[in-house]
Amino acid sequence: MSREPVTLTIDGREITVPAGTLVIRAAERLGIEIPRFCDHPFLAPAGACRQCYVEIEGQAKLVTSCTTRVAPDMAVRTQVTSELVRRAQAANLEFLLLNHPLDCPVCDRGGECPLQDQALAFGPGESRYIEPKRTYRKPIPLSPLVNLDRERCVLCARCTRFCDEISGDRFIELYDRGAGERVSIAAGEDFRSPFSGNTIQICPVGALTATPYRFVARPFDLSSTDSTCAHCAAGCAIRVDVRRGKVVRVLARDDVEVNDAWICDKGRFAFAAPDRPERVTTPLVRARGLEPASFQEVLGEIAARCRGGRVGILVGGRLADEDAYALSKLARTVLGTNDLDHRRAFHGGRAELLAAARPMSVTYRDVEEAAAILVVGLDAEQELPILHLRIRKAARRGARVFVLHARRTRLHDLGEHLLVRPGHEAFALERIREALAAGGDGPEARIAAALAEAGERAVVLAGPRLAEHPLAADVALGLAERVGARFALCARRAGDRGALRAGVHPTLLPGGRRVTDDVERGQVEAVWGPIPAEPGRDAMGILRAAAGRELDVLYLVGVDPLRDLPDPALARRALANAGYTVIQGLELGELEPYADAFLPAAAAAERDGRVTTWEGRPRPLRAARAPLGLSRPDWEIFVGLAEALGADLGLGSLEAIRAEAEPLLAPREVPVRSSAWGAAGPPQWIEERVLFTYPLLVDEGRLLEGATELKAALEEEPFAEIHREDAEALGVADGGWVRVRTSAGDAVVRARVGETVAPGAVFVPFNQPGLPVAELLAGRFTVGVHLEPAAEPAAEEVA
Amino acid sequence: MSERRPRVDLSSAVGAVASGMATILKQVFRRDVTEPYPHVIVPPPPRSHIGRHRLNRHENGLEKCIGCELCAFACPADAIWVEGAENDPEHPVSPGERYAKDYQINYLRCIMCGLCVEACPTRALTLTSYYELSFTSREEAIWTKEQLLEPPPPLGTDPVDREG
Amino acid sequence: MSGRATELRQETMIVNMGPQHPSTHGVLRLLLELDGETVVSCRPIVGYLHTGIEKNTEYRTWQQGVTFVTRADYLSPFFNELAYALAVERLLGIEAPPRAQVLRVLFCELNRIASHLVWLATSGMELGAVSVMLYGFREREAILDIFEMATGLRMNHAYVRIGGVVMDLPPGGEERIRDFCDMLPGRIREYERLLSRNPIWLERNVGVGVLPAEEAIALGVTGPTLRAAGVAKDVRRDEPYCGYETYDFEVVTREAADCYARYEIRIEEMRQSLRIVEQCLERLREPGPVMVEDPKVAWPARLEVGPDGIGNSPAYVRHIMEESMEALIHHFKMVTEGVRVPAGEVYQPVESPRGELGMYVVSDGEHRPYRVRIRDPSFVNLQALPTMVEGGLVADVIAVIASVDPVMGGVDR
Amino acid sequence: MDLLDWALLLGRVAVVFAGLLVTVMLLIWMERKVIADMQTRMGPMRAGPRGVLITLADGIKLFFKEGIVPAEADRPVYLIAPVIAMLPAFLAFAVIPFGTSVTLFGREVPFQLADPSIGILWVLAMASLGVYGIVLAGWSSGSNYPLLGAVRSSAQIISYEIGMSLALVAVLMYSGSLRLSEIVEAQARVWNVIPQFPAFVVYLIAGLAETNRPPFDLPEAESELVAGFHTEYSGIRFALFYLGEYVNTVTVASVAVTLFLGGWRGPAPDVLPWVWPLLWFLAKVLAVVYGYVWVRATLPRIRFDRLMAFGWKVLIPFGLVWVLLTGAIVVLPDVYGRGPVVAGAAVVFGALVLASVAAPLLRPRPAAEVGR
């Protein structure tokens, strides 16, 4: 879209803007504030509220500036210079307030309400309307999270437009016309969109309110901190509102490079975990039981165990970049081990190496401007919701979207899905590559053609599912390179990419330098000093080693191997057999009986630092409040542990860490290695069918604890998605009960029958309430499965 | 110097001291201005808001306070803490959706300026002239909602505040 | 020669008078160098009562500012409030209604009398005339009773608001003020009988703490201390506000520039203030609003006394909670955010009992002041202290402080 | 002296001591009530009926308060000084005849502890001893204000003691005795206040200064020197100073009554003849104290240099002249007969009055002295 400049005058002041600009935006650029309700910079113009009237010379009637585009030599007069406009705006405000309930003192929006602000700035001071007002039943819960108060609604349609245009979850709609027009939801429906909270934030009045924030605070009570959401690797800009040391609300901040103006409901509503009573905020050490002690004491104890012993370190996905770097250095230089791993998805190979070495191969902007997008092994809506919105935005702008996944995702209305059995993604990708040359008319051929056509405006986004097949990610990378597309290996958790870059990895050092490569290791040793040269064990390897009594100290940082990793039985053995178990995190949970020492870490909202998005973009974390109790940021604990071991990491502050890490983490070339085509065969399951699982957006994860309303809104009963053909073959009906049996265990769940999964694939969500799916897994998130119809279980069996 | 300056000489000195002593003696016959508090309590004028706050109820017993926090907004000393909550429709505390789950006034901070009652949109909060507020601890100085809902007794009757 | 003089000179003694001392008007600290009982040098040190009033206002709404500034010079709260309100009104380009202006003048002048009575009381006490102290406070009490009757508080009233005053006089209020006006002149005559010709009073004050006009002007001294040197400077007459130009009163001056002249001026000023008060009472026969009508500026409260105390009147509560959405919004926004004042800066002086009290107020267009700076006369007048006391005796220091009448709340802010 | 004599003496000492304490207690209450009256206040109201026990309450409170000894203080002197200040005040009272006598166990018991022939000198001696306590207290406190107060005090008391002595000299010349009981006897016909009025005035003024009472309370001028010599004292030691001061006031008033106001003399009915003189004495003392309080309520505090000037330049010359005149009045009639002496005295007295009027008592400083 070439946009030639247009020059016009607003209130006598001249301005030049690109053609197609709305008058209201042009006025904003001049610093003239035209009142508005329905206008939103990320939504299409609507002209619903009629508040933004301006006068344009030569036009008989006033026009709404949010729907009028600039024209050359247009002369616009706003309320600043036009009495007519001023009167029209005042009259419109009076009109909007006719039926508005006298709710300000009880309304959550009171004090930060655009309607109040504009009534004060532009409206009359007294009411002329004294007749009874229109009333509705209120509040109407649209979902456990969102309440609708129709009396307060000014019918600006921001919420419905958001659902139409941005999230595509069209649960709410404007019904009826005239005085009876109102926002409605279909009877019995729930506003089950993972983006529902955004409608609350953009509502210009108090018509949509959030249940968790209902009557909780006033803007005056809050101290706000601009930070970054640490729930996933999307890296959304948020504002954290704290009242008296307690986080009570999270809002999205505008950032056109990352999240536009949106965040998902998890980011918005899951903030209560650090305030739970289960949180432990003092260091503990095992004496007669676990007993509170000082940091010095506990670190001294741990140091005594570590000195000369074999240490294995498991890390969760929540470490900030600085923590990861400090830990990586601590493990290699002080503890003398490469046995550390943060991963849950073990990609390996060149794709991972690239992700560790080079950030920002694909950005949100690249996605938005792409012509063709291939999403492989990623359920974007559930795993990186804001990336999902970007893909949708791109689709609306004309990009062709393809999803290669074992299960249908929420891109189904805009993109084409190619459902493949889990573990067979690499073959599908190879077929696409073959189609590049051969052509054809199957889905593979369409994808190949679209990618080839888009060339460097094509984007391949590879997700965690690919880790289930050795080198599948490399295959995707190869395909991207073949067509000249941009490629990103999308990390899911907020700390994943940062930990990978910093070398919290058994074989990779900071910047993707290989432990086994003397030259690359030497580059790091130049800064750090000697590093063990033999490759370390990966996460499962560390557990196996601990289980085999090969480790003296098992150090768990922000991870619960019983919940987070796909082999709880192994984890239990490891915990039982480890010489000494150190837990570092927010709470102990089920690890309590195994812990020999506990180190309380600060939550993301309590500390400064950085997290890295899936793109590789560093984003700032800022402390919205002080850490509770004695807890402190992880990196400080690592530095303290090093000190207790008599070593000085030289990482006394965040600045020091960044300064040291910066040269090591600079983007660097990765030596080209042979492509991974056909390097490995398909997994050979004994069983006919494959169970696969991944965490949905809202599950039983630790950081979602306490977010009751969010769980009520979005959590699902455990289910098994089965393809219709399989169901018919087994005689399982939709909604009926099915027994899933794997080599590790079995469970009875409700079946969902349809065409939402690939034939032969069975999807059970990870970690939903009542079903710890991990117990069915044996080291991978994909496992051969045997299905049979089952009777409805007794209540306790489900639990 | 144009104006007449007073001078000191014996006669004027004796005269001035004598007239001064006479003036002093005259006061002996005036009514005392001090009050034998607490035996006699002179009621403060009606507008006087030198005392504690009071939370009011409607005639049907519901609280007038709707937890809107306007008083806390208006308070220049940050002396008021309000926490709103949703009314249980079966057992409402106040009319409407919202009520004050918690309401505290810290009398170590309160400056009795009255902006809070001026801000109150329901006359739930009023200021009284019950000035017999004495505390021996920080906790005591923070009045809770239950205490504030209690109307103040007549001055001089609260045994806690009586001397001795 | 000078070396010899130094040798001969005896060792001097350094005395820290204050910050805790019975007659330093609170927490003024004077570093006195004494040669025997003669003051060789004097260095006033301030800051012990720093309350952060100016800084606090930057974090509060414009309307809340009144409750802070009123506490600066706590003996003349109405003047602080008035200077602040006038300054903000000038930035807003509004003017309070006539009746509000009359009430402001009325309370300021009563406040001036009250303040001078405190001066009389404290000077009396500091020079040992204990009864005068109690008489001064006794009569001041009558004024405070009037204040309490009208504003509900005896000090720090927050009565003058941006755009007017918060409440009109209660019924019967004018009578009480009139009674006071009848009572006071006789009492002033009594003070004079006790002090004006008393030999000890004279010898403690006459010729003590002389501050000639040139020095006073050079040091920025204002108020009675300046007028005692014969300079007829009075903001009420020179830069009238609240319609002072329409009142009949005299600017009292004396030539002697000593403590006694300051005593005479303050006594006479009380009489002049009474004159103004009486004129105000005449004007109050005219009814009218006491707050501007514009709901976008006016403080929204309508107070009424009931059996439950003082609070918003039920009629007003009904209006904002049941009748007018606009009124509710304006109430809400005025209370929470307050008025938004156009960007600009203004210096507004008023004649406080201690001299020129100025408010320098800067707005950046927000609903909070960008800066409020109080030019407090006590602070400036204290500069002249060394000039007045050096070479005198310790006892004269007391007389001079008393005659300057500093209020540390205003000095330190 | 037999055992009973000793017992009676000890009894008298105890009674006088206790009586003085009670008197001081009531005196302080009275002073507070009187000055409250003059200031349209109520004064103490809470301790005892109409606050009469306020001093007791204060005393108990002070007794239990912590006595602070400053780090810079000279400890032994600091601790002993209040006692030194208090003792002479009690001792001075020993020679005051506060009544006639009463017969107990067949012995005549005079209302006077001792009646030495040098009664007046004893009073003077004790009064000047009291200053040691003050000087020592001020010096030993080791801080500036007490030091200044002590210096002021010694200067003031020494200066005014001369004036006071001169007044007393005039009286003893007139009465012809140093023995206080005889002086009282001598006033049977006319009180000394009539013939010795100038001496009475001098004595009252000097007495104010001797007791550090306003307007001569310079040593403890609270508005200048915080609390003067006892700034650093607290608790019981402060109470001792306070007590000494008020016993002094009683003594000074008693001496005034004894020397000028006829002592215990007054009209008395025949019932209980020993009671009335006591009551008269008490009434007269109270009257003098009332006068003191009245003065305190009226007058501001004089400035120290003026105080010294007044003492040396006015009071002492005036006293000297009066002593000369008294001498003349006592001696000359015997030599020259009554008429010429009275005429001559009138002329001299007139000249003196003229002189005092001409030379301003308290001249304001000339302008040149003002400032630097």
Side-chain angles (χ1 to χ4, degrees), chain D residues 13 18 22 25 30 40 60 66 119 126 134 136 146 156 158 169 173 200 211 232 272 282 295 302 310 322:
Chain D
V13 169
V22 173
M25 194 182 105
M30 186 195 100
T40 60
I60 292 170
E66 182 188 4
M126 286 305 123
I134 291 176
L136 290 177
Q156 172 182 340
I158 290 167
V169 165
M173 281 164 70
F200 182 59
T211 48
E232 305 289 351
L272 281 175
L282 199 62
V295 167
I302 198 162
F310 183 74
W322 182 250

Side-chain angles (χ1 to χ4, degrees), chain C residues 13-18 21-23 34 36-37 126-131 134-135 138 194 198-201 203-204 207-208 210 215 387 390-391 393 395-396 398, chain D residues 35 38-41 143-145 147-148 152 214-215 222-227 296-307 362-365 369-372:
Chain C
M13 178 195 256
I14 301 290
V15 170
N16 260 310
M17 190 179 264
H21 186 277
S23 46
L34 298 183
E37 291 221 6
E126 276 149 26
L127 299 185
V130 279
S131 298
L134 283 139
Y135 302 153
R138 179 181 67 191
L194 273 169
N198 183 303
I200 299 178
W201 186 257
E203 69 97 354
R204 290 299 305 269
V208 169
V210 175
E215 294 198 41
T387 316
E390 283 173 7
L393 299 177
D396 292 340
I398 306 304
Chain D
I35 202 160
M38 291 173 171
Q39 292 165 346
T40 60
R41 299 187 283 123
S143 101
N144 284 342
Y145 289 118
L147 187 60
L148 281 174
R152 279 183 172 191
E222 63 181 29
S223 61
E224 298 160 27
L225 302 183
V226 186
R296 176 186 165 192
T298 310
L299 290 181
R301 182 179 303 112
I302 198 162
R303 199 173 64 188
F304 190 65
D305 60 328
R306 295 282 126 187
L307 173 93
L362 303 152
R363 184 180 3 177
R365 276 182 296 177
E369 270 181 45
V370 171
R372 287 159 297 180

Side-chain angles (χ1 to χ4, degrees), chain B residues 24-25 27-28 32, chain C residues 131 135, chain D residues 26-44 213 286 289-297:
Chain B
I24 293 283
L25 202 60
Q27 313 293 333
V28 173
D32 285 348
Chain C
S131 298
Y135 302 153
Chain D
L26 293 177
L27 183 70
I28 293 174
W29 171 73
M30 186 195 100
E31 167 154 13
R32 292 178 67 169
K33 278 297 196 190
V34 167
I35 202 160
D37 235 12
M38 291 173 171
Q39 292 165 346
T40 60
R41 299 187 283 123
M42 289 179 176
R213 287 189 58 85
L286 287 184
V289 171
Y290 190 90
Y292 275 176
V293 176
W294 191 358
V295 167
R296 176 186 165 192

Side-chain angles (χ1 to χ4, degrees), chain A residues 105 214-215 218 220-221 243, chain B residues 68-69 72-73 82 84 86 97:
Chain A
R214 196 162 161 78
F215 307 147
R218 289 275 182 209
F220 151 85
D221 304 319
R243 184 179 192 189
Chain B
C68 71
E69 296 192 31
F73 264 100
V82 188
E86 187 158 7
E97 295 171 65

Side-chain angles (χ1 to χ4, degrees), chain A residues 780-795:
Chain A
R780 307 194 69 106
F781 290 93
T782 323
V783 64
V785 69
H786 181 77
L787 295 182
E788 60 193 49
E792 184 172 354

